[in-house]
Amino acid sequence: MFGGKELRHAISMASRWSRASCNLRSNLYRWNKTFIHTSSCHRKCELTSKRYQVKRGKYNEINEENIKFFTELLGPHRIIEGESELEGHNTDWLDTVRGASSVLLKPKTTEEVSAILSYCNHHRLAVCPQGGNTGLVGGSVPVFDEIIISTNLMNKVENVDTWSGVVRCQSGCVLEALDQHVADFGLMVPLDLGAKGSCHIGGNVSTNAGGLRLLRYGSLHGSVLGVEAVLASGEVVDCMTAMKKDNTGYDLKHLFIGSEGTLGLVTKIAIQCPPRPQAVNLAFLGLSTYENVLKTYVAAKSKLGEILSSCEFIDRSSLECVEENLKLKPPISSHEYYMLIETSG
Amino acid sequence: MFGGKELRHAISMASRWSRASCNLRSNLYRWNKTFIHTSSCHRKCELTSKRYQVKRGKYNEINEENIKFFTELLGPHRIIEGESELEGHNTDWLDTVRGASSVLLKPKTTEEVSAILSYCNHHRLAVCPQGGNTGLVGGSVPVFDEIIISTNLMNKVENVDTWSGVVRCQSGCVLEALDQHVADFGLMVPLDLGAKGSCHIGGNVSTNAGGLRLLRYGSLHGSVLGVEAVLASGEVVDCMTAMKKDNTGYDLKHLFIGSEGTLGLVTKIAIQCPPRPQAVNLAFLGLSTYENVLKTYVAAKSKLGEILSSCEFIDRSSLECVEENLKLKPPISSHEYYMLIETSG
């Protein structure tokens, strides 16, 4: 078990080590990613509808007239059709679920999303909102022939308020790109995930993503100050006031955070970004018992409270499994438990 | 305008000064409290219903049979009747609004609250939930003859999880008492208000109180992990899972945070408490322009990021007004703006 002094020392040691032997965190990401890719099958996976024996709802099938409407609304280049073109959008990243959508729409504005949803609602056409499609539980993939509404082109950062740190952007902004954008203003997005290079901030909000920074910056219910969403009817719900202490009426935006698109398609977000930390340090610890993991966690929270940004643990068999399969050597070994502790500030 | 180095220096100076000349923060509280009490009239204020010309809803008036039911449910000592006994509960702290309730009930458990609300709903009796009655906008005071349901006796701390820092308690816990309770476990409630000596945590949640620590610990939407509430029908809504990353279903507890009792009466709360800081330091700064206030705020957030716990400003005329009326000498004077910056950690 580690106390405050030992922790600070271990962090300083690990930081020196990590600079010398490249970045530990990105190594762990690589382990993780490669491991998942290696272990998943690469043949085309079964249709979700067959695999889980689900029945299609009483929705209409898309026809020429519908396509004509969408073409007039978006132009020909923002409608994608054809099985091979939609292959990546009909399956998830792990290749475990598969839908059979034949049309993907790429709106650029809230008004276009509203027009699409209003039309689909009126004509009883099923839809599936899709962000970066990085989810691991199939939520962003169609099950049958739903029209995929992609937020790929809704990637504008509308405003960065340098006084308050509040950033307003469209929901299709890629997390990493948004973080790089706000870095120019000395800010950081209070969210960090393995999928940050392709996941969308709208998807993060719709799934209430926790990520690596949850411990320090809290959940999105705390940092998301505003949400704009379009209901199935096409009605736009504007909860974008972005005032930290706005207590007027019910705080409806919280219902959209984590509701996975079932209440509406999130089109805009206002998020409170903290100042970008000037230094990040890492410690990788080996421990003998699970109780010591808990004690070290409590010690880290109490002694490093202000600067602790991440705290994770790995057990012996998980580390050995990664080591054996990927031939990557962990910095220390022969312990029952391991902890990765990150500080920033 | 102050940069990072100057700020740290100012804070160290101010801390030394504040220890020598007693606590600056509590002085400011005293100014504030005395000022409000001096300026409000001490004669009995007009009935809210007359003042705002509002019409009573079609509710039944309370009768002997109702009283008999409540007496059987709670026993004779937890029903308060009579104008003088209810005086403090029929008016607010500022003496600006006044209701005419004739009965106050003091349940101790969720089951009792449920039985009361179910009965009142069935018999069309209007109710007014009341916590510490410290609100400044009259939300906790009846308008007509509503039955006051007080959370005064619902003050049990049910559990303190020292590993996670999650505290479960009844909604009638007084904020300061709860904070003192968790202090024994090295924790603090992430909320601090001028009214902490009498306000209830349930009222804090129902009004989504921000308080002095908002800057560091965020809003209650981030730190309140669980809520139990009783609907008007008597139905108990249990959102007390208290798991930080619980994303199953819609996160309904957020609707109760800030809804002022209009959706239900909050009976229990699970709140994430951070480790108690080991030192608190204060700086009181004088500044010449409002732009410098903004710049200092940004500098404080970026340079003190990890330990900044509070940041407030006062303008010249406000400080002079307090000085003149209360004969209290501020630590520095003759500036257009003043800032109070607190660090803890």
Side-chain angles (χ1 to χ4, degrees):
Chain A
M1 189 242 157
F2 289 76
K5 217 181 206 172
E6 292 88 342
L7 259 180
R8 284 184 195 272
H9 181 67
I11 283 171
S12 139
M13 287 290 107
S15 300
R16 262 177 266 171
W17 172 84
S18 77
R19 271 194 295 275
S21 64
C22 118
N23 193 306
L24 176 64
R25 162 80 71 194
S26 73
N27 260 346
L28 287 174
Y29 277 154
R30 209 165 55 220
W31 286 356
N32 194 32
K33 268 195 166 177
T34 321
F35 181 62
I36 288 169
H37 269 141
T38 316
S39 63
S40 71
C41 65
H42 274 288
R43 58 181 172 73
K44 220 170 180 179
C45 71
E46 203 175 5
L47 282 169
T48 313
S49 54
K50 275 194 184 171
R51 190 170 169 190
Y52 296 100
Q53 293 286 313
V54 274
K55 220 181 138 188
R56 189 178 179 281
K58 283 180 185 168
Y59 297 101
N60 287 326
E61 283 182 26
I62 196 159
N63 60 29
E64 279 309 307
E65 203 187 317
N66 306 145
I67 295 291
K68 200 179 151 214
F69 171 83
F70 295 131
T71 312
E72 273 168 19
L73 181 71
L74 305 174
H77 302 300
R78 292 199 275 137
I79 301 180
I80 312 292
E81 291 181 273
E83 199 184 331
S84 62
E85 282 80 358
L86 292 183
E87 179 64 33
H89 298 277
N90 267 323
T91 50
D92 66 328
W93 188 66
L94 289 180
D95 204 16
T96 54
V97 288
R98 191 154 66 91
S101 174
S102 62
V103 179
L104 178 142
L105 307 177
K106 290 184 174 179
K108 281 185 176 175
T109 64
T110 304
E111 292 69 32
E112 286 177 355
V113 172
S114 170
I116 291 167
L117 285 175
S118 167
Y119 181 86
C120 290
N121 191 42
H122 188 73
H123 291 83
R124 288 196 64 77
L125 293 165
V127 298
C128 172
Q130 190 174 85
N133 197 16
T134 61
L136 302 177
V137 290
S140 54
V141 177
V143 176
F144 296 96
D145 56 341
E146 297 93 308
I147 296 169
I148 301 171
I149 305 178
S150 166
T151 53
N152 254 329
L153 300 182
M154 300 184 69
N155 54 5
K156 265 194 198 143
V157 181
E158 294 196 338
N159 178 259
V160 179
D161 184 327
T162 48
W163 293 126
S164 65
V166 176
V167 176
R168 288 161 179 270
C169 65
Q170 283 187 299
S171 58
C173 286
V174 170
L175 180 58
E176 194 168 42
L178 183 64
D179 190 55
Q180 278 163 6
H181 183 91
V182 302
D184 293 343
F185 301 90
L187 301 170
M188 74 177 284
V189 179
L191 188 68
D192 191 9
L193 311 169
K196 64 182 169 184
S198 41
C199 69
H200 292 189
I201 189 77
N204 299 146
V205 169
S206 294
T207 56
N208 191 22
L212 305 167
R213 302 275 180 267
L214 184 84
L215 194 68
R216 175 157 179 191
Y217 299 109
S219 91
L220 291 178
H221 284 288
S223 51
V224 170
L225 301 185
V227 164
E228 181 195 76
V230 184
L231 307 185
S233 63
E235 190 188 333
V236 179
V237 177
D238 183 350
C239 308
M240 285 286 284
T241 53
M243 194 181 148
K244 216 169 179 175
K245 289 176 82 167
D246 185 1
N247 279 336
T248 50
Y250 302 129
D251 206 340
L252 292 179
K253 69 165 180 284
H254 290 286
L255 283 181
F256 292 100
I257 302 172
S259 63
E260 310 245 352
T262 57
L263 297 178
L265 194 155
V266 172
T267 44
K268 281 183 195 170
I269 281 151
I271 189 163
Q272 174 80 56
C273 292
R276 206 167 186 86
Q278 286 161 14
V280 176
N281 289 316
L282 280 169
F284 192 72
L285 315 174
L287 300 110
S288 55
T289 65
Y290 182 65
E291 211 201 338
N292 281 353
V293 171
L294 289 176
K295 282 184 183 167
T296 306
Y297 167 68
V298 172
K301 274 221 302 185
S302 112
K303 304 294 178 190
L304 305 170
E306 320 85 56
I307 51 168
L308 180 66
S309 54
S310 191
C311 192
E312 287 165 55
F313 94 95
I314 310 156
D315 63 17
R316 185 193 192 101
S317 54
S318 306
L319 200 78
E320 281 175 358
C321 168
V322 172
E323 210 179 337
E324 272 170 44
N325 284 282
L326 304 178
K327 315 294 172 208
L328 285 169
K329 188 137 186 63
I332 48 173
S333 54
S334 306
H335 293 270
E336 286 306 310
Y337 298 94
Y338 300 90
M339 286 181 83
L340 185 68
I341 296 181
E342 188 192 79
T343 65
S344 60
Chain B
M1 188 245 159
F2 289 76
K5 219 180 206 173
E6 292 89 342
L7 259 182
R8 284 185 193 272
H9 181 66
I11 283 171
S12 137
M13 286 289 106
S15 299
R16 261 178 266 173
W17 171 84
S18 77
R19 272 193 294 277
S21 64
C22 120
N23 193 304
L24 176 63
R25 162 80 69 194
S26 73
N27 260 347
L28 287 173
Y29 278 154
R30 207 167 56 222
W31 286 357
N32 193 32
K33 269 196 165 177
T34 322
F35 181 62
I36 288 170
H37 270 141
T38 317
S39 63
S40 72
C41 65
H42 275 287
R43 58 181 172 75
K44 220 169 180 180
C45 72
E46 203 175 6
L47 283 168
T48 313
S49 53
K50 276 194 183 170
R51 190 170 169 191
Y52 295 100
Q53 293 285 313
V54 274
K55 221 181 137 187
R56 189 178 179 282
K58 283 181 185 167
Y59 298 101
N60 288 327
E61 283 182 27
I62 195 160
N63 60 31
E64 279 309 307
E65 203 186 319
N66 305 146
I67 295 291
K68 200 180 151 212
F69 172 82
F70 295 132
T71 312
E72 274 169 17
L73 181 70
L74 305 174
H77 303 299
R78 294 198 273 137
I79 302 179
I80 312 292
E81 290 180 273
E83 199 184 331
S84 61
E85 283 80 358
L86 292 182
E87 180 62 34
H89 298 277
N90 267 322
T91 49
D92 66 329
W93 188 65
L94 289 180
D95 204 17
T96 53
V97 289
R98 191 155 66 91
S101 175
S102 62
V103 179
L104 179 142
L105 306 177
K106 289 183 175 180
K108 280 184 177 175
T109 64
T110 304
E111 291 68 33
E112 288 176 354
V113 173
S114 169
I116 292 167
L117 285 174
S118 167
Y119 181 86
C120 290
N121 191 41
H122 187 73
H123 291 82
R124 288 198 64 76
L125 294 166
V127 298
C128 172
Q130 190 175 85
N133 198 17
T134 61
L136 302 177
V137 290
S140 54
V141 176
V143 177
F144 297 97
D145 56 341
E146 297 92 308
I147 297 170
I148 302 173
I149 305 178
S150 165
T151 54
N152 254 328
L153 300 182
M154 299 183 70
N155 54 4
K156 268 195 195 139
V157 180
E158 295 196 337
N159 179 257
V160 180
D161 183 329
T162 49
W163 294 124
S164 66
V166 175
V167 176
R168 288 160 179 269
C169 65
Q170 283 187 300
S171 59
C173 287
V174 170
L175 179 58
E176 197 168 40
L178 184 63
D179 190 55
Q180 279 162 5
H181 183 92
V182 302
D184 294 343
F185 301 90
L187 301 170
M188 73 177 284
V189 180
L191 189 68
D192 190 8
L193 311 169
K196 63 182 169 185
S198 42
C199 68
H200 292 188
I201 189 77
N204 299 146
V205 169
S206 294
T207 56
N208 191 21
L212 305 167
R213 303 274 179 269
L214 185 83
L215 194 68
R216 175 156 179 190
Y217 299 109
S219 92
L220 290 178
H221 284 288
S223 51
V224 170
L225 302 185
V227 165
E228 181 195 77
V230 183
L231 307 186
S233 62
E235 190 188 333
V236 179
V237 178
D238 183 349
C239 309
M240 285 287 284
T241 52
M243 194 183 150
K244 216 169 178 174
K245 289 176 83 168
D246 186 2
N247 280 335
T248 49
Y250 302 130
D251 206 339
L252 293 179
K253 70 165 180 284
H254 290 286
L255 283 181
F256 291 100
I257 302 173
S259 64
E260 310 245 351
T262 57
L263 297 178
L265 194 155
V266 172
T267 44
K268 282 184 196 170
I269 281 151
I271 189 164
Q272 174 80 57
C273 292
R276 206 165 187 87
Q278 287 161 14
V280 176
N281 288 316
L282 281 168
F284 192 71
L285 315 174
L287 300 109
S288 55
T289 64
Y290 182 65
E291 211 201 335
N292 282 353
V293 171
L294 289 177
K295 282 184 183 167
T296 305
Y297 167 66
V298 172
K301 275 220 301 183
S302 113
K303 305 294 178 189
L304 305 170
E306 319 85 56
I307 51 169
L308 181 65
S309 54
S310 192
C311 191
E312 288 166 54
F313 93 96
I314 310 156
D315 64 15
R316 185 193 192 103
S317 55
S318 306
L319 198 79
E320 281 173 358
C321 168
V322 171
E323 210 178 339
E324 273 169 43
N325 284 283
L326 304 178
K327 314 295 173 209
L328 285 169
K329 190 137 184 62
I332 48 173
S333 53
S334 305
H335 291 270
E336 287 306 311
Y337 298 94
Y338 300 89
M339 286 182 82
L340 184 70
I341 296 181
E342 187 192 81
T343 65
S344 60

